[in-house]
Amino acid sequence: MKHSSEAPHSVYGVEKWGKGLIEVTEGGEIGLRNPLAPEAPAISLPGILRDLDQRGIRAPMILRISSYLENEIAHINESFAAAIARADYKGCYRGVFPIKVNQQAQVIDRIVEFGQKYDYGLEAGSKPELVIALAHRLAKEALIVCNGVKDAEFIQLAILSRKIGFNTVIVLESPKEADTVIEVYNELGIEPLLGVRVKLTNQISGKWEESSGDRSAFGMNTDQLVAVVDKLRDAGLIQCLKLQHSHLGSQVPDVNDVRRAVGEACRYYTELTREGVPLTHLDLGGGMGVDYTGEKKATENSINYTVEEYCANVVETVAYAMDEAEVEHPTLVTESGRAVVATSSMLVFNVLESTLYDAPNGPEVEPDDHHMVADLAAVHGYLSHERLQECWNDANFYRNELRALFRRGYVDLRQMARAERIYLSLMARIKALVASEHVETDVDDQLEKLADIYHCNFSLFQSLPDVWAIDQLHPIVPLQMLDQTPDRRAVLSDITCDSDGKIDRFILADGVSPSLPVHTLPEDDDYYMGVFFVGAYQETLGDLHNLFGDTNVVTIDIKPDGGFDLLHEQEGDTISEVMAYVEFDPSDCVAAFRKMVDEAISTGTLKAKDRKTLMSAYRDSINGYTYYE
Ligand SMILES: Cc1ncc(COP(=O)(O)O)c(C=O)c1O
């Protein structure tokens, strides 16, 4: 597909998905804009990488932009405030950030800092996350919402934290959890702040459809809910039940699903209120989506609403339901994770080399060539736009026949190599014809199978696990040469030894494509790729496949003058660190290696003077980065 009258980079659709934060500079590089200083020029991302490289910080790396995070927190909080004012809503908004979405200290610390003025709190889905939350000085009115399965220790810590001023809400997930809370209360004599998690029956469309509705793993059905209310009343704790929680789902694509689910949550809230439960907070969980593709549609990787529309829909739906039931407007709580952090991080890696499925020219036919090699080469003679499909068919027929003959021993290695080279040269001409003219045959689609493989310095499993596990799409684009028409198409392969470690679905201006337009790799310069909106879930879900560890992580801020400040650097895992994760003791390994070196010297297979080189090579590797250096 050509975009001949447009800029060479228009194929990537950066304007569509870049959210005004990411754009292409006049110099043909990806530029980053500071949303908090809209007048400031975009700063070149390759320029940032060059600067970091001089400081000894290299790709692959995760680059976090502090102002993007600050901007999203402000955006959500201010959008709720505006919707509340517009609807004359009587309650307020108190958001919490779900720690599981990005547990990195640098991220949580900044979220707490930027959230102070909005009384923004934290959501903890486990004991470790509660421990992290309690190490942060939150604003006085901010909440800590505890979800997930809780044992007595978790509950005890949550209750005790109220003594030092935390508004820690224990959300009861089951009647059994209510029993544990009552037991801990009886021991401590301190009243807890409680919530109940209600399972909504409305199903949410999108990737997480299965985990919403009746079959969702968390929350209580009406029968369990009533049982919990009765238990609390009997235990004299009903006055502590202040919050009703339901998680709407994740990456909800359609805003009408949000309305429906919020409407249902309100029915529970008003019914519980009618029962005399003194609820004050309605927590609607996460789910606000990110428009990864920029399509603005209710599809798996996009959403059909803006942050402002989401907030307005929530506020209006709750106001309407409460007014109708004559119930006081509750404090609104949401647990948006993805929408808060996804945009603020990007993964940057360099391309190491390419495997091409075409060749600029093939060898001339020689008299000794097998007749099918000559037939294959003869296709060059009638290759034209009109006979494209025929040439494609013939080239593949002859190549496949020759491969069969090779397997049976009728064609030797050198003949086969000549045939492959001729075939690749035909493919190069076919690709050029398809690129230059409109083609109505299926050759265009077939050519996708001949896309180059660009071997890249990252691990899909460590850095983009959702791309592998749930076909998540992220915008991916070369960071440089964007003033030049991309002359090749490629899929991206990572450096794990796993054939699943590849990316072969890309967001382009006109839809999702199995290959990415790229440039011929420059001979004397790095060629970088950027994967955008990776701040949610990716860092924590990533694993150590092939023992590729955490990448370097750099947090920067974009200065109004167009430069940047390096706020924090976290070096990626060393080999010794990843060895320790899998319970190898690096010093034991050094000792074992040294023993074998010394034995080799004793037996005379190694010279004593080579001992130092061998030991340094081993030690340097152990202390080095797990990625290609
Ligand atoms: C209880 C709860 N709250 C909040 C979230 C965050 O959801 P999202 O990142 O889609 O906003 C999740 C994630 O699934 C969740 O389970």
Side-chain angles (χ1 to χ4, degrees), residues 52-224:
L52 292 174
D53 190 74
Q54 281 172 4
R55 303 180 200 209
I57 308 170
R58 305 221 157 79
M61 74 172 82
I62 287 179
L63 193 64
R64 293 201 189 110
I65 316 290
S66 190
S67 48
Y68 288 10
L69 189 55
E70 189 173 354
N71 182 52
E72 290 300 347
I73 291 172
H75 193 186
I76 291 175
N77 280 280
E78 285 167 17
S79 298
F80 263 113
I84 282 172
R86 241 190 342 266
D88 197 21
Y89 189 83
K90 302 293 182 296
C92 62
Y93 171 70
R94 294 262 181 279
V96 290
F97 176 75
I99 295 178
K100 68 167 149 291
V101 181
N102 191 323
Q103 298 123 328
Q104 303 295 318
Q106 286 298 313
V107 174
I108 300 295
D109 290 353
R110 284 195 162 73
I111 287 175
V112 170
E113 180 194 333
F114 300 145
Q116 287 288 335
K117 63 176 168 186
Y118 304 110
D119 293 320
Y120 195 47
L122 294 168
E123 185 261 3
S126 65
K127 240 186 307 186
E129 289 181 0
L130 176 60
V131 168
I132 289 175
L134 293 177
H136 288 83
R137 218 174 270 279
L138 298 176
K140 197 160 165 286
E141 300 297 324
L143 300 172
I144 295 179
V145 177
C146 302
N147 292 319
V149 180
K150 296 168 221 57
D151 61 8
E153 192 178 59
F154 189 158
I155 289 166
Q156 188 181 21
L157 182 60
I159 296 178
L160 287 173
S161 70
R162 297 198 61 206
K163 285 277 178 202
I164 52 168
F166 283 106
N167 306 307
T168 313
V169 186
I170 302 166
V171 177
L172 302 173
E173 301 268 358
S174 67
K176 182 167 168 273
E177 226 163 70
D179 292 336
T180 319
V181 165
I182 294 166
E183 277 165 31
V184 176
Y185 163 69
N186 287 336
E187 277 166 31
L188 294 177
I190 304 168
E191 281 197 356
L193 203 49
L194 296 178
V196 272
R197 182 157 178 176
V198 173
K199 191 186 294 212
L200 302 180
T201 55
N202 259 301
Q203 263 200 304
I204 299 285
S205 57
K207 264 192 211 304
W208 281 270
E209 185 170 348
E210 292 294 304
S211 59
S212 63
D214 253 354
R215 294 293 300 157
S216 73
F218 295 99
M220 292 182 274
N221 60 28
T222 45
D223 190 30
Q224 293 168 311

Side-chain angles (χ1 to χ4, degrees), residues 98 100-101 123 147 197 245 247 249-251 285-288 335-338 537:
K100 68 167 149 291
V101 181
E123 185 261 3
N147 292 319
R197 182 157 178 176
H245 167 108
H247 173 53
S250 200
Q251 182 65 17
M288 191 192 289
E335 304 177 356
S336 292
R338 182 188 300 277
Y537 300 103

Side-chain angles (χ1 to χ4, degrees), residues 9 14 22-32 42-50 477-484 519 525-526 528 532:
H9 58 77
V14 181
I22 296 144
E23 63 181 39
V24 178
T25 64
E26 278 185 10
E29 296 184 322
I30 286 292
L32 305 178
I43 174 170
S44 151
L45 179 47
I48 295 174
L49 298 180
R50 286 188 286 271
V477 67
L479 301 185
Q480 62 286 293
M481 298 172 75
L482 297 170
D483 50 354
Q484 298 167 40
H519 305 88
D525 217 347
D526 280 323
Y528 288 104
F532 294 88

